[in-house]
Amino acid sequence: MTEEMNLVEVKNFEVGDKVSGQVTKVEEKQVIININDCKLDGIIPISELSSLHVEKASDVVSEGDQLELEVLKVEEEALILSKRKVDAEKSWANLEEKFKNGESFNAEIKDVVKGGLVVDLGVRGFVPASLVEAFFVEDFSDYKGKTMAFKIVELEKEKNRLILSHRAVVEEEKGKQKNQLLESLEAGQVVEGTVQRISDFGAFVDIGGIDGLVHISQLSHEHIDKPSDVVQEGQKVQVKILSVDRTNERISLSIKETLPGPWTNISEKAPKGSTLSGVVKRLVSYGAFIELFPGVEGLVHISQISHKHIATPHEVLNEGQEVEVKVLDVNEQDQRLSLSIKELQERENEFVTDYELPEESKGFQLGEVIGDQLKNLKK
């Protein structure tokens, strides 16, 4: 091609024109293009190949590639072209639509830089370190080349500013899962969970993406002073759902109700007729409540406390006192135990111990007095 012909061809183009062409040669710092529909060559400087920094032109294009380009300069024998500007123009329109709709999309991490990650979307997208994950990441070196889902959180075309977030995608997905889980939960269900946090008033348990509270009163059938006495963070537990407040996203849980109750199989632990040790827990006007096992109390009616007549249980018993009792009756369904202390005591000779000597006989031997009474009975 003569210089005159080149000059004529070049003069047919203006800055900003859109052209297409085929890559005929890839050099280290530039790419040679044959413009379609004419015999004119164009040059793409390496800086105009991508919105990102490029070390070698061959990292972006190969011989034979068909490209859409924009004219940057019209020189005497060639056109200076840009692939980057065409890609960016197409991308901005697409990205604005995604931003408007809150759409998420996948993209490859092209580079790891100070403060975050770089993504090529036809324009340079930046992911600040704080928006990469929902958890702290110390080293991002393994992220290069990784494909991740992103949402656009800031877009300013005039400033060429595009801020992306993978964390937003993760949190949105968690939110959807949380809502689905809330809808599926019903009081009475038993599910597995993991203890996340322990407080003075109970334990928070993760049941699949949402935390529920096990109040301290629902941790055990036995009285406990603090939740850490029975559960630890990270522990897997079975919990029963007591209530679900979907509006406030509050779930009440119970570990206690998934455990065998203290009265379970009480007929085997305290069979009728057996003798057991217990502790006096409460004294009332009609008897004494004896704790035989943690959470299991039985009643010794006042009539079963002593062979002697007593007005109140306080006459012979004290709270905290250890006693031996005999099981008179077991009712597991109603959680009742009837006990007796009296039946384990020998019956005293009431005739001897309760007899009051007449005043006039106090100088005589007891045997003589009784002997005289017996004689009188024989008459």
Side-chain angles (χ1 to χ4, degrees):
M1 182 183 294
T2 64
E3 290 185 9
E4 290 80 3
M5 292 178 66
N6 271 349
L7 188 58
V8 171
E9 291 283 358
V10 166
K11 287 184 177 181
N12 289 332
F13 295 94
E14 294 181 356
V15 173
D17 284 352
K18 301 294 189 297
V19 299
S20 59
Q22 185 178 42
V23 177
T24 57
K25 188 176 183 181
V26 179
E27 298 178 354
E28 186 176 357
K29 297 300 180 182
Q30 64 180 21
V31 174
I32 308 302
I33 296 287
N34 179 247
I35 307 300
N36 292 344
D37 302 325
C38 68
K39 297 181 179 180
L40 186 66
D41 285 338
I43 298 171
I44 309 174
I46 193 170
S47 61
E48 292 297 324
L49 282 173
S50 171
S51 60
L52 304 184
H53 174 73
V54 178
E55 290 291 339
K56 303 193 302 291
S58 58
D59 292 338
V60 180
V61 295
S62 302
E63 287 187 15
D65 287 352
Q66 283 285 340
L67 305 177
E68 292 185 30
L69 308 158
E70 181 176 321
V71 177
L72 286 183
K73 291 180 184 179
V74 179
E75 297 190 345
E76 288 187 2
E77 295 186 5
L79 300 175
I80 306 301
L81 306 169
S82 173
K83 175 179 179 296
R84 176 183 63 82
K85 291 194 74 173
V86 174
D87 291 344
E89 190 173 322
K90 289 181 180 178
S91 296
W92 279 119
N94 186 36
L95 293 169
E96 284 173 338
E97 192 69 19
K98 284 179 167 37
F99 184 45
K100 179 182 176 182
N101 297 329
E103 186 181 336
S104 60
F105 51 89
N106 292 331
E108 182 183 344
I109 308 299
K110 292 294 185 179
D111 203 3
V112 176
V113 297
K114 184 178 180 181
L117 310 174
V118 175
V119 175
D120 183 9
L121 296 171
V123 295
R124 183 181 186 272
F126 181 62
V127 190
S130 61
L131 299 182
V132 176
E133 300 285 6
F135 51 86
F136 175 74
V137 178
E138 187 172 350
D139 183 7
F140 289 103
S141 56
D142 291 341
Y143 280 71
K144 187 172 182 178
K146 188 176 179 181
T147 297
M148 301 175 72
F150 296 100
K151 291 190 77 169
I152 300 169
V153 292
E154 289 183 45
L155 184 150
E156 293 181 79
K157 182 179 177 181
E158 296 75 16
K159 296 181 180 180
N160 206 38
R161 178 179 173 82
L162 181 67
I163 305 299
L164 309 175
S165 173
H166 173 67
R167 177 177 176 175
V169 177
V170 172
E171 290 177 346
E172 182 180 60
E173 186 59 33
K174 281 184 177 179
K176 289 179 182 177
Q177 292 174 356
K178 188 176 183 178
N179 290 334
Q180 289 173 356
L181 181 60
L182 271 172
E183 289 300 319
S184 69
L185 295 177
E186 297 291 343
Q189 290 177 333
V190 176
V191 296
E192 185 179 73
T194 304
V195 178
Q196 293 290 94
R197 291 182 292 121
I198 295 175
S199 68
D200 292 338
F201 53 84
F204 290 92
V205 177
D206 179 359
I207 55 172
I210 188 169
D211 287 354
L213 173 65
V214 182
H215 189 267
I216 188 170
S217 63
Q218 292 295 327
L219 285 169
S220 173
H221 289 288
E222 302 176 29
H223 171 75
I224 59 173
D225 294 322
K226 55 185 186 296
S228 56
D229 289 341
V230 291
V231 291
Q232 291 80 43
E233 289 184 5
Q235 180 181 344
K236 298 285 186 184
V237 291
Q238 292 289 314
V239 291
K240 183 176 181 178
I241 299 172
L242 301 181
S243 65
V244 181
D245 181 349
R246 293 182 175 86
T247 303
N248 297 306
E249 297 185 356
R250 291 179 181 173
I251 303 172
S252 296
L253 305 172
S254 174
I255 292 175
K256 179 174 74 174
E257 293 202 14
T258 67
L259 303 173
W263 286 87
T264 302
N265 299 324
I266 194 65
S267 298
E268 297 176 12
K269 295 186 285 187
K272 185 176 180 179
S274 62
T275 299
L276 300 168
S277 294
V279 177
V280 178
K281 298 296 287 186
R282 290 178 293 133
L283 295 174
V284 293
S285 60
Y286 54 86
F289 286 94
I290 312 297
E291 185 180 58
L292 300 180
F293 308 100
V296 176
E297 293 182 5
L299 173 66
V300 180
H301 190 266
I302 191 169
S303 63
Q304 291 294 329
I305 292 177
S306 175
H307 288 289
K308 291 182 180 182
H309 172 74
I310 57 174
T312 67
H314 295 81
E315 293 180 27
V316 291
L317 295 173
N318 298 306
E319 290 184 359
Q321 179 182 345
E322 290 191 15
V323 292
E324 293 281 311
V325 294
K326 182 178 180 180
V327 179
L328 300 181
D329 189 47
V330 183
N331 188 328
E332 185 171 325
Q333 184 175 352
D334 295 335
Q335 298 187 354
R336 287 183 176 180
L337 281 174
S338 296
L339 309 173
S340 175
I341 295 174
K342 180 174 77 173
E343 291 210 5
L344 296 179
Q345 298 173 342
E346 289 187 14
R347 186 178 181 87
E348 298 173 350
N349 191 330
E350 295 179 1
F351 180 77
V352 174
T353 57
D354 291 348
Y355 185 78
E356 182 73 24
L357 287 173
E359 189 66 31
E360 63 272 16
S361 302
K362 287 188 178 178
F364 297 91
Q365 294 294 321
L366 180 62
E368 294 176 354
V369 174
I370 295 173
D372 290 341
Q373 290 183 353
L374 290 173
K375 288 178 184 178
N376 293 331
L377 289 173
K378 291 178 181 180
K379 292 181 180 179

